PDB file of all heavy atoms in Angstrom:
ATOM      1  N   ARG M   2     -16.333  -3.663  30.536  1.00 93.00           N
ATOM      2  CA  ARG M   2     -16.921  -3.047  29.342  1.00 93.00           C
ATOM      3  C   ARG M   2     -15.968  -2.017  28.754  1.00 93.00           C
ATOM      4  O   ARG M   2     -15.816  -1.933  27.530  1.00 93.00           O
ATOM      5  CB  ARG M   2     -18.254  -2.379  29.684  1.00 93.00           C
ATOM      6  CG  ARG M   2     -19.394  -3.369  29.774  1.00 93.00           C
ATOM      7  CD  ARG M   2     -20.731  -2.711  29.923  1.00 93.00           C
ATOM      8  NE  ARG M   2     -20.968  -1.718  28.895  1.00 93.00           N
ATOM      9  CZ  ARG M   2     -21.946  -0.839  28.929  1.00 93.00           C
ATOM     10  NH1 ARG M   2     -22.790  -0.830  29.941  1.00 93.00           N
ATOM     11  NH2 ARG M   2     -22.108   0.039  27.966  1.00 93.00           N
ATOM     12  N   HIS M   3     -15.321  -1.228  29.598  1.00 94.00           N
ATOM     13  CA  HIS M   3     -14.361  -0.226  29.125  1.00 94.00           C
ATOM     14  C   HIS M   3     -13.172  -0.903  28.450  1.00 94.00           C
ATOM     15  O   HIS M   3     -12.723  -0.471  27.379  1.00 94.00           O
ATOM     16  CB  HIS M   3     -13.893   0.639  30.299  1.00 94.00           C
ATOM     17  CG  HIS M   3     -12.878   1.648  29.909  1.00 94.00           C
ATOM     18  ND1 HIS M   3     -11.522   1.424  29.992  1.00 94.00           N
ATOM     19  CD2 HIS M   3     -13.023   2.891  29.402  1.00 94.00           C
ATOM     20  CE1 HIS M   3     -10.881   2.478  29.565  1.00 94.00           C
ATOM     21  NE2 HIS M   3     -11.760   3.389  29.208  1.00 94.00           N
ATOM     22  N   ASP M   4     -12.653  -1.960  29.062  1.00 96.00           N
ATOM     23  CA  ASP M   4     -11.530  -2.696  28.476  1.00 96.00           C
ATOM     24  C   ASP M   4     -11.911  -3.314  27.139  1.00 96.00           C
ATOM     25  O   ASP M   4     -11.118  -3.324  26.193  1.00 96.00           O
ATOM     26  CB  ASP M   4     -11.044  -3.785  29.435  1.00 96.00           C
ATOM     27  CG  ASP M   4     -10.418  -3.210  30.696  1.00 96.00           C
ATOM     28  OD1 ASP M   4     -10.094  -2.001  30.702  1.00 96.00           O
ATOM     29  OD2 ASP M   4     -10.271  -3.973  31.670  1.00 96.00           O
ATOM     30  N   LEU M   5     -13.131  -3.823  27.040  1.00 96.00           N
ATOM     31  CA  LEU M   5     -13.606  -4.426  25.806  1.00 96.00           C
ATOM     32  C   LEU M   5     -13.730  -3.384  24.692  1.00 96.00           C
ATOM     33  O   LEU M   5     -13.356  -3.635  23.543  1.00 96.00           O
ATOM     34  CB  LEU M   5     -14.949  -5.119  26.041  1.00 96.00           C
ATOM     35  CG  LEU M   5     -15.519  -5.900  24.868  1.00 96.00           C
ATOM     36  CD1 LEU M   5     -14.579  -7.042  24.492  1.00 96.00           C
ATOM     37  CD2 LEU M   5     -16.891  -6.428  25.221  1.00 96.00           C
ATOM     38  N   ALA M   6     -14.236  -2.211  25.027  1.00 96.00           N
ATOM     39  CA  ALA M   6     -14.355  -1.139  24.032  1.00 96.00           C
ATOM     40  C   ALA M   6     -12.979  -0.700  23.551  1.00 96.00           C
ATOM     41  O   ALA M   6     -12.770  -0.468  22.353  1.00 96.00           O
ATOM     42  CB  ALA M   6     -15.124   0.039  24.622  1.00 96.00           C
ATOM     43  N   ALA M   7     -12.019  -0.605  24.470  1.00 96.00           N
ATOM     44  CA  ALA M   7     -10.658  -0.223  24.090  1.00 96.00           C
ATOM     45  C   ALA M   7     -10.031  -1.295  23.202  1.00 96.00           C
ATOM     46  O   ALA M   7      -9.341  -0.980  22.222  1.00 96.00           O
ATOM     47  CB  ALA M   7      -9.812   0.010  25.339  1.00 96.00           C
ATOM     48  N   ALA M   8     -10.267  -2.556  23.517  1.00 97.00           N
ATOM     49  CA  ALA M   8      -9.730  -3.651  22.708  1.00 97.00           C
ATOM     50  C   ALA M   8     -10.356  -3.650  21.314  1.00 97.00           C
ATOM     51  O   ALA M   8      -9.664  -3.883  20.319  1.00 97.00           O
ATOM     52  CB  ALA M   8      -9.957  -4.989  23.399  1.00 97.00           C
ATOM     53  N   ASP M   9     -11.655  -3.384  21.222  1.00 97.00           N
ATOM     54  CA  ASP M   9     -12.317  -3.309  19.913  1.00 97.00           C
ATOM     55  C   ASP M   9     -11.729  -2.188  19.060  1.00 97.00           C
ATOM     56  O   ASP M   9     -11.502  -2.355  17.864  1.00 97.00           O
ATOM     57  CB  ASP M   9     -13.828  -3.101  20.079  1.00 97.00           C
ATOM     58  CG  ASP M   9     -14.556  -4.357  20.496  1.00 97.00           C
ATOM     59  OD1 ASP M   9     -13.986  -5.450  20.310  1.00 97.00           O
ATOM     60  OD2 ASP M   9     -15.687  -4.235  21.007  1.00 97.00           O
ATOM     61  N   GLU M  10     -11.481  -1.047  19.680  1.00 97.00           N
ATOM     62  CA  GLU M  10     -10.886   0.079  18.959  1.00 97.00           C
ATOM     63  C   GLU M  10      -9.491  -0.274  18.457  1.00 97.00           C
ATOM     64  O   GLU M  10      -9.122   0.040  17.333  1.00 97.00           O
ATOM     65  CB  GLU M  10     -10.835   1.318  19.871  1.00 97.00           C
ATOM     66  CG  GLU M  10     -10.339   2.551  19.185  1.00 97.00           C
ATOM     67  CD  GLU M  10     -11.270   3.047  18.095  1.00 97.00           C
ATOM     68  OE1 GLU M  10     -12.485   2.809  18.189  1.00 97.00           O
ATOM     69  OE2 GLU M  10     -10.767   3.663  17.146  1.00 97.00           O
ATOM     70  N   ARG M  11      -8.737  -0.947  19.293  1.00 97.00           N
ATOM     71  CA  ARG M  11      -7.381  -1.346  18.905  1.00 97.00           C
ATOM     72  C   ARG M  11      -7.420  -2.378  17.769  1.00 97.00           C
ATOM     73  O   ARG M  11      -6.599  -2.323  16.853  1.00 97.00           O
ATOM     74  CB  ARG M  11      -6.652  -1.919  20.113  1.00 97.00           C
ATOM     75  CG  ARG M  11      -5.214  -2.207  19.829  1.00 97.00           C
ATOM     76  CD  ARG M  11      -4.382  -2.237  21.076  1.00 97.00           C
ATOM     77  NE  ARG M  11      -2.995  -2.399  20.686  1.00 97.00           N
ATOM     78  CZ  ARG M  11      -2.137  -3.194  21.267  1.00 97.00           C
ATOM     79  NH1 ARG M  11      -2.501  -3.863  22.327  1.00 97.00           N
ATOM     80  NH2 ARG M  11      -0.915  -3.290  20.852  1.00 97.00           N
ATOM     81  N   VAL M  12      -8.384  -3.280  17.805  1.00 98.00           N
ATOM     82  CA  VAL M  12      -8.522  -4.272  16.733  1.00 98.00           C
ATOM     83  C   VAL M  12      -8.848  -3.568  15.415  1.00 98.00           C
ATOM     84  O   VAL M  12      -8.301  -3.916  14.360  1.00 98.00           O
ATOM     85  CB  VAL M  12      -9.607  -5.314  17.091  1.00 98.00           C
ATOM     86  CG1 VAL M  12     -10.032  -6.116  15.881  1.00 98.00           C
ATOM     87  CG2 VAL M  12      -9.094  -6.233  18.179  1.00 98.00           C
ATOM     88  N   LYS M  13      -9.716  -2.558  15.443  1.00 97.00           N
ATOM     89  CA  LYS M  13     -10.045  -1.815  14.226  1.00 97.00           C
ATOM     90  C   LYS M  13      -8.804  -1.134  13.655  1.00 97.00           C
ATOM     91  O   LYS M  13      -8.558  -1.185  12.446  1.00 97.00           O
ATOM     92  CB  LYS M  13     -11.119  -0.767  14.517  1.00 97.00           C
ATOM     93  CG  LYS M  13     -12.493  -1.339  14.739  1.00 97.00           C
ATOM     94  CD  LYS M  13     -13.486  -0.248  15.058  1.00 97.00           C
ATOM     95  CE  LYS M  13     -14.839  -0.820  15.414  1.00 97.00           C
ATOM     96  NZ  LYS M  13     -15.800   0.221  15.795  1.00 97.00           N
ATOM     97  N   ILE M  14      -8.031  -0.503  14.509  1.00 97.00           N
ATOM     98  CA  ILE M  14      -6.820   0.192  14.051  1.00 97.00           C
ATOM     99  C   ILE M  14      -5.818  -0.797  13.480  1.00 97.00           C
ATOM    100  O   ILE M  14      -5.240  -0.572  12.407  1.00 97.00           O
ATOM    101  CB  ILE M  14      -6.208   1.008  15.213  1.00 97.00           C
ATOM    102  CG1 ILE M  14      -7.115   2.177  15.585  1.00 97.00           C
ATOM    103  CG2 ILE M  14      -4.822   1.505  14.849  1.00 97.00           C
ATOM    104  CD1 ILE M  14      -6.709   2.887  16.854  1.00 97.00           C
ATOM    105  N   LEU M  15      -5.615  -1.907  14.179  1.00 97.00           N
ATOM    106  CA  LEU M  15      -4.643  -2.898  13.713  1.00 97.00           C
ATOM    107  C   LEU M  15      -5.090  -3.570  12.419  1.00 97.00           C
ATOM    108  O   LEU M  15      -4.262  -3.866  11.546  1.00 97.00           O
ATOM    109  CB  LEU M  15      -4.385  -3.939  14.800  1.00 97.00           C
ATOM    110  CG  LEU M  15      -3.608  -3.432  16.015  1.00 97.00           C
ATOM    111  CD1 LEU M  15      -3.509  -4.515  17.076  1.00 97.00           C
ATOM    112  CD2 LEU M  15      -2.232  -2.949  15.622  1.00 97.00           C
ATOM    113  N   SER M  16      -6.380  -3.814  12.262  1.00 97.00           N
ATOM    114  CA  SER M  16      -6.842  -4.425  11.013  1.00 97.00           C
ATOM    115  C   SER M  16      -6.673  -3.454   9.846  1.00 97.00           C
ATOM    116  O   SER M  16      -6.329  -3.868   8.736  1.00 97.00           O
ATOM    117  CB  SER M  16      -8.291  -4.880  11.137  1.00 97.00           C
ATOM    118  OG  SER M  16      -9.140  -3.780  11.341  1.00 97.00           O
ATOM    119  N   GLU M  17      -6.870  -2.167  10.094  1.00 97.00           N
ATOM    120  CA  GLU M  17      -6.635  -1.171   9.045  1.00 97.00           C
ATOM    121  C   GLU M  17      -5.152  -1.125   8.665  1.00 97.00           C
ATOM    122  O   GLU M  17      -4.803  -1.069   7.482  1.00 97.00           O
ATOM    123  CB  GLU M  17      -7.105   0.203   9.511  1.00 97.00           C
ATOM    124  CG  GLU M  17      -6.969   1.279   8.461  1.00 97.00           C
ATOM    125  CD  GLU M  17      -7.512   2.603   8.938  1.00 97.00           C
ATOM    126  OE1 GLU M  17      -8.550   2.622   9.608  1.00 97.00           O
ATOM    127  OE2 GLU M  17      -6.881   3.619   8.629  1.00 97.00           O
ATOM    128  N   GLN M  18      -4.290  -1.169   9.670  1.00 97.00           N
ATOM    129  CA  GLN M  18      -2.847  -1.190   9.399  1.00 97.00           C
ATOM    130  C   GLN M  18      -2.458  -2.470   8.655  1.00 97.00           C
ATOM    131  O   GLN M  18      -1.606  -2.437   7.766  1.00 97.00           O
ATOM    132  CB  GLN M  18      -2.054  -1.076  10.692  1.00 97.00           C
ATOM    133  CG  GLN M  18      -2.105   0.298  11.314  1.00 97.00           C
ATOM    134  CD  GLN M  18      -1.362   0.370  12.637  1.00 97.00           C
ATOM    135  OE1 GLN M  18      -0.939  -0.646  13.183  1.00 97.00           O
ATOM    136  NE2 GLN M  18      -1.216   1.566  13.164  1.00 97.00           N
ATOM    137  N   ASN M  19      -3.069  -3.589   8.992  1.00 98.00           N
ATOM    138  CA  ASN M  19      -2.803  -4.850   8.280  1.00 98.00           C
ATOM    139  C   ASN M  19      -3.192  -4.741   6.811  1.00 98.00           C
ATOM    140  O   ASN M  19      -2.482  -5.241   5.936  1.00 98.00           O
ATOM    141  CB  ASN M  19      -3.531  -6.016   8.936  1.00 98.00           C
ATOM    142  CG  ASN M  19      -2.775  -6.570  10.118  1.00 98.00           C
ATOM    143  OD1 ASN M  19      -1.590  -6.334  10.265  1.00 98.00           O
ATOM    144  ND2 ASN M  19      -3.481  -7.304  10.955  1.00 98.00           N
ATOM    145  N   LYS M  20      -4.323  -4.108   6.533  1.00 97.00           N
ATOM    146  CA  LYS M  20      -4.747  -3.929   5.145  1.00 97.00           C
ATOM    147  C   LYS M  20      -3.728  -3.078   4.383  1.00 97.00           C
ATOM    148  O   LYS M  20      -3.370  -3.394   3.243  1.00 97.00           O
ATOM    149  CB  LYS M  20      -6.126  -3.270   5.084  1.00 97.00           C
ATOM    150  CG  LYS M  20      -7.259  -4.175   5.474  1.00 97.00           C
ATOM    151  CD  LYS M  20      -8.579  -3.430   5.436  1.00 97.00           C
ATOM    152  CE  LYS M  20      -9.704  -4.291   5.975  1.00 97.00           C
ATOM    153  NZ  LYS M  20     -10.972  -3.572   6.031  1.00 97.00           N
ATOM    154  N   GLN M  21      -3.272  -1.988   5.011  1.00 97.00           N
ATOM    155  CA  GLN M  21      -2.288  -1.127   4.351  1.00 97.00           C
ATOM    156  C   GLN M  21      -0.982  -1.877   4.106  1.00 97.00           C
ATOM    157  O   GLN M  21      -0.380  -1.761   3.037  1.00 97.00           O
ATOM    158  CB  GLN M  21      -2.020   0.116   5.204  1.00 97.00           C
ATOM    159  CG  GLN M  21      -3.182   1.068   5.283  1.00 97.00           C
ATOM    160  CD  GLN M  21      -2.960   2.184   6.279  1.00 97.00           C
ATOM    161  OE1 GLN M  21      -1.997   2.168   7.038  1.00 97.00           O
ATOM    162  NE2 GLN M  21      -3.848   3.160   6.292  1.00 97.00           N
ATOM    163  N   LEU M  22      -0.551  -2.653   5.084  1.00 97.00           N
ATOM    164  CA  LEU M  22       0.690  -3.407   4.924  1.00 97.00           C
ATOM    165  C   LEU M  22       0.548  -4.506   3.882  1.00 97.00           C
ATOM    166  O   LEU M  22       1.486  -4.780   3.125  1.00 97.00           O
ATOM    167  CB  LEU M  22       1.143  -3.984   6.265  1.00 97.00           C
ATOM    168  CG  LEU M  22       1.639  -2.960   7.289  1.00 97.00           C
ATOM    169  CD1 LEU M  22       1.895  -3.635   8.625  1.00 97.00           C
ATOM    170  CD2 LEU M  22       2.886  -2.271   6.794  1.00 97.00           C
ATOM    171  N   SER M  23      -0.608  -5.135   3.815  1.00 97.00           N
ATOM    172  CA  SER M  23      -0.837  -6.162   2.786  1.00 97.00           C
ATOM    173  C   SER M  23      -0.790  -5.540   1.396  1.00 97.00           C
ATOM    174  O   SER M  23      -0.223  -6.129   0.459  1.00 97.00           O
ATOM    175  CB  SER M  23      -2.186  -6.840   2.999  1.00 97.00           C
ATOM    176  OG  SER M  23      -2.199  -7.521   4.218  1.00 97.00           O
ATOM    177  N   THR M  24      -1.365  -4.352   1.264  1.00 96.00           N
ATOM    178  CA  THR M  24      -1.306  -3.648  -0.015  1.00 96.00           C
ATOM    179  C   THR M  24       0.133  -3.324  -0.380  1.00 96.00           C
ATOM    180  O   THR M  24       0.547  -3.500  -1.529  1.00 96.00           O
ATOM    181  CB  THR M  24      -2.136  -2.355   0.062  1.00 96.00           C
ATOM    182  OG1 THR M  24      -3.461  -2.672   0.453  1.00 96.00           O
ATOM    183  CG2 THR M  24      -2.148  -1.628  -1.259  1.00 96.00           C
ATOM    184  N   ARG M  25       0.900  -2.880   0.596  1.00 95.00           N
ATOM    185  CA  ARG M  25       2.309  -2.553   0.341  1.00 95.00           C
ATOM    186  C   ARG M  25       3.104  -3.809  -0.029  1.00 95.00           C
ATOM    187  O   ARG M  25       3.952  -3.767  -0.908  1.00 95.00           O
ATOM    188  CB  ARG M  25       2.911  -1.866   1.558  1.00 95.00           C
ATOM    189  CG  ARG M  25       4.347  -1.480   1.336  1.00 95.00           C
ATOM    190  CD  ARG M  25       4.893  -0.636   2.450  1.00 95.00           C
ATOM    191  NE  ARG M  25       6.335  -0.605   2.369  1.00 95.00           N
ATOM    192  CZ  ARG M  25       7.022   0.437   1.992  1.00 95.00           C
ATOM    193  NH1 ARG M  25       6.407   1.541   1.666  1.00 95.00           N
ATOM    194  NH2 ARG M  25       8.337   0.388   1.953  1.00 95.00           N
ATOM    195  N   VAL M  26       2.839  -4.913   0.645  1.00 96.00           N
ATOM    196  CA  VAL M  26       3.550  -6.165   0.338  1.00 96.00           C
ATOM    197  C   VAL M  26       3.247  -6.592  -1.090  1.00 96.00           C
ATOM    198  O   VAL M  26       4.153  -6.969  -1.847  1.00 96.00           O
ATOM    199  CB  VAL M  26       3.166  -7.272   1.340  1.00 96.00           C
ATOM    200  CG1 VAL M  26       3.579  -8.641   0.845  1.00 96.00           C
ATOM    201  CG2 VAL M  26       3.810  -6.997   2.685  1.00 96.00           C
ATOM    202  N   SER M  27       1.972  -6.534  -1.490  1.00 96.00           N
ATOM    203  CA  SER M  27       1.630  -6.934  -2.858  1.00 96.00           C
ATOM    204  C   SER M  27       2.246  -5.976  -3.871  1.00 96.00           C
ATOM    205  O   SER M  27       2.653  -6.391  -4.957  1.00 96.00           O
ATOM    206  CB  SER M  27       0.117  -7.012  -3.037  1.00 96.00           C
ATOM    207  OG  SER M  27      -0.457  -5.739  -2.840  1.00 96.00           O
ATOM    208  N   LYS M  28       2.361  -4.700  -3.502  1.00 94.00           N
ATOM    209  CA  LYS M  28       2.992  -3.726  -4.391  1.00 94.00           C
ATOM    210  C   LYS M  28       4.494  -3.972  -4.491  1.00 94.00           C
ATOM    211  O   LYS M  28       5.099  -3.781  -5.543  1.00 94.00           O
ATOM    212  CB  LYS M  28       2.714  -2.317  -3.861  1.00 94.00           C
ATOM    213  CG  LYS M  28       3.057  -1.217  -4.809  1.00 94.00           C
ATOM    214  CD  LYS M  28       2.637   0.129  -4.214  1.00 94.00           C
ATOM    215  CE  LYS M  28       2.953   1.263  -5.155  1.00 94.00           C
ATOM    216  NZ  LYS M  28       2.619   2.562  -4.581  1.00 94.00           N
ATOM    217  N   LEU M  29       5.121  -4.411  -3.396  1.00 93.00           N
ATOM    218  CA  LEU M  29       6.562  -4.656  -3.396  1.00 93.00           C
ATOM    219  C   LEU M  29       6.953  -5.872  -4.232  1.00 93.00           C
ATOM    220  O   LEU M  29       8.122  -6.042  -4.557  1.00 93.00           O
ATOM    221  CB  LEU M  29       7.071  -4.839  -1.963  1.00 93.00           C
ATOM    222  CG  LEU M  29       7.196  -3.568  -1.138  1.00 93.00           C
ATOM    223  CD1 LEU M  29       7.523  -3.899   0.307  1.00 93.00           C
ATOM    224  CD2 LEU M  29       8.240  -2.641  -1.715  1.00 93.00           C
ATOM    225  N   HIS M  30       6.000  -6.698  -4.575  1.00 94.00           N
ATOM    226  CA  HIS M  30       6.299  -7.868  -5.395  1.00 94.00           C
ATOM    227  C   HIS M  30       6.295  -7.549  -6.890  1.00 94.00           C
ATOM    228  O   HIS M  30       6.544  -8.437  -7.702  1.00 94.00           O
ATOM    229  CB  HIS M  30       5.313  -9.007  -5.100  1.00 94.00           C
ATOM    230  CG  HIS M  30       5.569  -9.674  -3.784  1.00 94.00           C
ATOM    231  ND1 HIS M  30       6.725 -10.337  -3.492  1.00 94.00           N
ATOM    232  CD2 HIS M  30       4.811  -9.754  -2.666  1.00 94.00           C
ATOM    233  CE1 HIS M  30       6.673 -10.813  -2.255  1.00 94.00           C
ATOM    234  NE2 HIS M  30       5.516 -10.468  -1.732  1.00 94.00           N
ATOM    235  N   THR M  31       6.013  -6.301  -7.255  1.00 94.00           N
ATOM    236  CA  THR M  31       6.008  -5.932  -8.669  1.00 94.00           C
ATOM    237  C   THR M  31       7.384  -5.427  -9.077  1.00 94.00           C
ATOM    238  O   THR M  31       8.123  -4.856  -8.265  1.00 94.00           O
ATOM    239  CB  THR M  31       4.960  -4.841  -8.948  1.00 94.00           C
ATOM    240  OG1 THR M  31       5.305  -3.667  -8.218  1.00 94.00           O
ATOM    241  CG2 THR M  31       3.563  -5.303  -8.566  1.00 94.00           C
ATOM    242  N   ASP M  32       7.717  -5.627 -10.361  1.00 93.00           N
ATOM    243  CA  ASP M  32       9.021  -5.197 -10.866  1.00 93.00           C
ATOM    244  C   ASP M  32       9.158  -3.672 -10.862  1.00 93.00           C
ATOM    245  O   ASP M  32      10.229  -3.135 -10.600  1.00 93.00           O
ATOM    246  CB  ASP M  32       9.248  -5.734 -12.284  1.00 93.00           C
ATOM    247  CG  ASP M  32       9.454  -7.243 -12.293  1.00 93.00           C
ATOM    248  OD1 ASP M  32       9.840  -7.784 -11.241  1.00 93.00           O
ATOM    249  OD2 ASP M  32       9.223  -7.867 -13.348  1.00 93.00           O
ATOM    250  N   ALA M  33       8.079  -2.983 -11.143  1.00 93.00           N
ATOM    251  CA  ALA M  33       8.133  -1.516 -11.184  1.00 93.00           C
ATOM    252  C   ALA M  33       8.479  -0.935  -9.817  1.00 93.00           C
ATOM    253  O   ALA M  33       9.273   0.010  -9.712  1.00 93.00           O
ATOM    254  CB  ALA M  33       6.796  -0.964 -11.676  1.00 93.00           C
ATOM    255  N   GLU M  34       7.898  -1.489  -8.787  1.00 93.00           N
ATOM    256  CA  GLU M  34       8.174  -0.983  -7.433  1.00 93.00           C
ATOM    257  C   GLU M  34       9.595  -1.312  -7.005  1.00 93.00           C
ATOM    258  O   GLU M  34      10.270  -0.502  -6.369  1.00 93.00           O
ATOM    259  CB  GLU M  34       7.165  -1.559  -6.442  1.00 93.00           C
ATOM    260  CG  GLU M  34       7.282  -1.001  -5.043  1.00 93.00           C
ATOM    261  CD  GLU M  34       6.902   0.474  -4.953  1.00 93.00           C
ATOM    262  OE1 GLU M  34       6.323   1.029  -5.883  1.00 93.00           O
ATOM    263  OE2 GLU M  34       7.205   1.073  -3.908  1.00 93.00           O
ATOM    264  N   ILE M  35      10.061  -2.494  -7.360  1.00 92.00           N
ATOM    265  CA  ILE M  35      11.445  -2.869  -7.023  1.00 92.00           C
ATOM    266  C   ILE M  35      12.417  -1.936  -7.728  1.00 92.00           C
ATOM    267  O   ILE M  35      13.376  -1.453  -7.135  1.00 92.00           O
ATOM    268  CB  ILE M  35      11.707  -4.342  -7.400  1.00 92.00           C
ATOM    269  CG1 ILE M  35      10.887  -5.261  -6.494  1.00 92.00           C
ATOM    270  CG2 ILE M  35      13.186  -4.670  -7.295  1.00 92.00           C
ATOM    271  CD1 ILE M  35      10.895  -6.705  -6.895  1.00 92.00           C
ATOM    272  N   GLU M  36      12.140  -1.634  -8.993  1.00 92.00           N
ATOM    273  CA  GLU M  36      13.008  -0.715  -9.733  1.00 92.00           C
ATOM    274  C   GLU M  36      12.970   0.689  -9.133  1.00 92.00           C
ATOM    275  O   GLU M  36      13.998   1.342  -8.984  1.00 92.00           O
ATOM    276  CB  GLU M  36      12.577  -0.653 -11.200  1.00 92.00           C
ATOM    277  CG  GLU M  36      13.447   0.262 -12.029  1.00 92.00           C
ATOM    278  CD  GLU M  36      12.995   0.322 -13.482  1.00 92.00           C
ATOM    279  OE1 GLU M  36      12.215  -0.543 -13.916  1.00 92.00           O
ATOM    280  OE2 GLU M  36      13.446   1.253 -14.163  1.00 92.00           O
ATOM    281  N   ARG M  37      11.781   1.154  -8.757  1.00 93.00           N
ATOM    282  CA  ARG M  37      11.655   2.490  -8.162  1.00 93.00           C
ATOM    283  C   ARG M  37      12.458   2.584  -6.865  1.00 93.00           C
ATOM    284  O   ARG M  37      13.191   3.551  -6.644  1.00 93.00           O
ATOM    285  CB  ARG M  37      10.181   2.812  -7.885  1.00 93.00           C
ATOM    286  CG  ARG M  37       9.968   4.231  -7.369  1.00 93.00           C
ATOM    287  CD  ARG M  37       8.541   4.448  -6.931  1.00 93.00           C
ATOM    288  NE  ARG M  37       8.203   3.730  -5.725  1.00 93.00           N
ATOM    289  CZ  ARG M  37       8.524   4.139  -4.484  1.00 93.00           C
ATOM    290  NH1 ARG M  37       9.201   5.239  -4.298  1.00 93.00           N
ATOM    291  NH2 ARG M  37       8.161   3.416  -3.441  1.00 93.00           N
TER     292      ARG M  37
END
């Protein structure tokens, strides 16, 4: 149960980081961001 709770917490953190990275990837595909 302890291992499962720790894994769930890690999944939440990693999914949040994935969302941030996906946002950054979509932002990097714009001309304005490339120019900046």
Side-chain angles (χ1 to χ4, degrees):
R2 280 188 53 192
H3 178 267
D4 293 344
L5 185 62
D9 284 341
E10 185 66 28
R11 186 157 185 223
V12 165
K13 287 178 186 177
I14 292 170
L15 290 175
S16 64
E17 183 177 320
Q18 288 177 351
N19 277 342
K20 287 178 186 176
Q21 291 172 351
L22 290 173
S23 296
T24 304
R25 181 172 165 108
V26 165
S27 63
K28 192 176 181 183
L29 284 172
H30 286 298
T31 63
D32 290 338
E34 185 67 13
I35 292 171
E36 181 181 344
R37 185 188 70 80

